[in-house]
């Protein structure tokens, strides 16, 4: 079965400025070019009042942080995930076309992705742009270990991990012991030309094959 719709959950999407937004938007453009409907759920306090926006054949749902400021970073992102999950779940319940796959970006959205995967029984795809070990240079404080635990859960639960460099692939293999076969390295040009859609279709077909057995 060809994928008809994808749910993208990301903490950053244009016009927000950051390293994740351009790559995520390029990936989404590639999906739209393959006639895949896309709903993006993203954190954007400045635009949350809009609820959602239809832009370039993509519906972008904006959420604000439920608690701000929070006592610490982990608490902030944990509560942010509850709102990401709530809005994403409403897409499954209310949209005439239900997403076939859930694609989360960075550890910040992993908790929402795990819940959505379990509730709606859809494949989870994970894209990581950096690892906590890279950002913290291997620090092992409770804060660092908490983030690594979330990364580890996401890496384990994902049907496929998509990254944009061999450096990231090798880091995930080294830190979390994942097989290279589970990780797809692609360029932004490949994402734009439809490689992501091919991966989605492969995952959905594999899941269906497993469920029939």
């Amino acid at each position: 079965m060809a994928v008809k719709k994808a749910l993208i959950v990301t903490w950053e999407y244009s016009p927000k400025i950051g390293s994740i937004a351009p790559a995520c938007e390029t990936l989404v453009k590639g999906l739209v070019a393959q006639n895949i409907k896309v709903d993006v759920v993203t954190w954007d306090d400045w635009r949350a009042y809009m609820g959602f926006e239809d832009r370039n054949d993509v519906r972008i749902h904006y959420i604000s942080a439920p608690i701000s400021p929070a006592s610490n970073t982990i608490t902030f992102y944990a509560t942010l995930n509850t709102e990401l999950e709530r809005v994403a779940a409403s897409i499954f319940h209310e949209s005439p076309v239900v997403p076939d796959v859930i694609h989360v970006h960075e550890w910040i959205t992993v908790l929402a992705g795990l819940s959505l995967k379990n509730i709606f029984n859809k494949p989870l795809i994970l894209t990581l742009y950096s690892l906590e070990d890279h950002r913290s240079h291997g620090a092992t404080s409770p804060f660092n270990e908490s983030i690594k635990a979330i990364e580890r859960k996401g890496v384990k639960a994902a049907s496929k991990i998509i990254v944009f460099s061999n450096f990231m692939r090798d880091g995930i293999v080294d830190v979390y012991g994942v097989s290279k076969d589970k990780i797809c390295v692609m360029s932004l040009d490949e994402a734009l030309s439809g490689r992501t859609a091919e991966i989605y279709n492969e995952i959905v077909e594999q899941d269906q094959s497993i469920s029939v057995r």
Side-chain angles (χ1 to χ4, degrees):
M1 183 192 80
V3 169
K4 296 180 181 178
K5 187 172 185 176
L7 171 65
I8 307 293
V9 184
T10 176
W11 79 289
E12 185 179 279
Y13 195 79
S14 67
K16 283 181 70 176
I17 298 172
S19 59
I20 295 175
C24 191
E25 186 174 25
T26 297
L27 185 147
V28 168
K29 286 179 180 178
L31 294 173
V32 172
Q34 298 298 312
N35 297 315
I36 294 178
K37 296 181 181 296
V38 179
D39 276 76
V40 175
V41 181
T42 188
W43 167 39
D44 193 329
D45 286 329
W46 289 99
R47 295 173 181 82
Y49 74 92
M50 298 170 60
F52 67 86
E53 173 189 10
D54 291 319
R55 188 192 338 142
N56 300 327
D57 297 319
V58 178
R59 175 154 289 190
I60 307 164
H61 306 257
Y62 300 112
I63 70 146
S64 60
I67 301 175
S68 184
S71 57
N72 59 65
T73 301
I74 298 297
T75 299
F76 177 81
Y77 286 120
T79 55
L80 186 70
N81 270 261
T82 63
E83 189 67 3
L84 290 168
E85 180 185 341
R86 181 188 69 79
V87 173
S90 70
I91 295 170
F92 279 94
H93 290 303
E94 300 171 5
S95 175
V97 181
V98 175
D100 300 297
V101 296
I102 302 160
H103 190 164
V104 300
H105 293 253
E106 271 300 270
W107 73 271
I108 294 169
T109 62
V110 162
L111 295 178
L114 293 173
S115 294
L116 294 166
K117 168 186 166 66
N118 293 333
I119 293 169
F120 297 105
N121 195 30
K122 297 295 181 181
L124 178 67
I125 297 94
L126 171 64
T127 291
L128 293 172
Y129 298 83
S130 65
L131 295 178
E132 180 60 18
D133 263 11
H134 299 157
R135 295 185 296 267
S136 65
H137 306 287
T140 57
S141 73
F143 171 79
N144 303 120
E145 290 299 325
S146 295
I147 295 175
K148 287 183 66 175
I150 295 171
E151 287 180 344
R152 186 177 293 107
K153 285 179 177 293
V155 164
K156 181 178 179 180
S159 296
K160 200 74 172 181
I161 303 166
I162 296 175
V163 296
F164 295 107
S165 70
N166 291 332
F167 174 78
M168 274 303 303
R169 178 199 61 196
D170 295 344
I172 293 169
V173 171
D174 291 341
V175 175
Y176 297 116
V178 178
S179 169
K180 285 187 177 181
D181 294 338
K182 191 175 186 178
I183 306 172
C184 175
V185 181
M186 71 168 71
S187 66
L188 290 179
D189 286 342
E190 288 175 314
L192 193 59
S193 65
R195 177 65 179 128
T196 314
E198 294 176 5
I199 293 171
Y200 286 0
N201 288 332
E202 291 168 3
I203 291 170
V204 169
E205 289 173 7
Q206 182 180 19
D207 277 17
Q208 288 180 331
S209 174
I210 293 172
S211 65
V212 169
R213 295 175 189 173

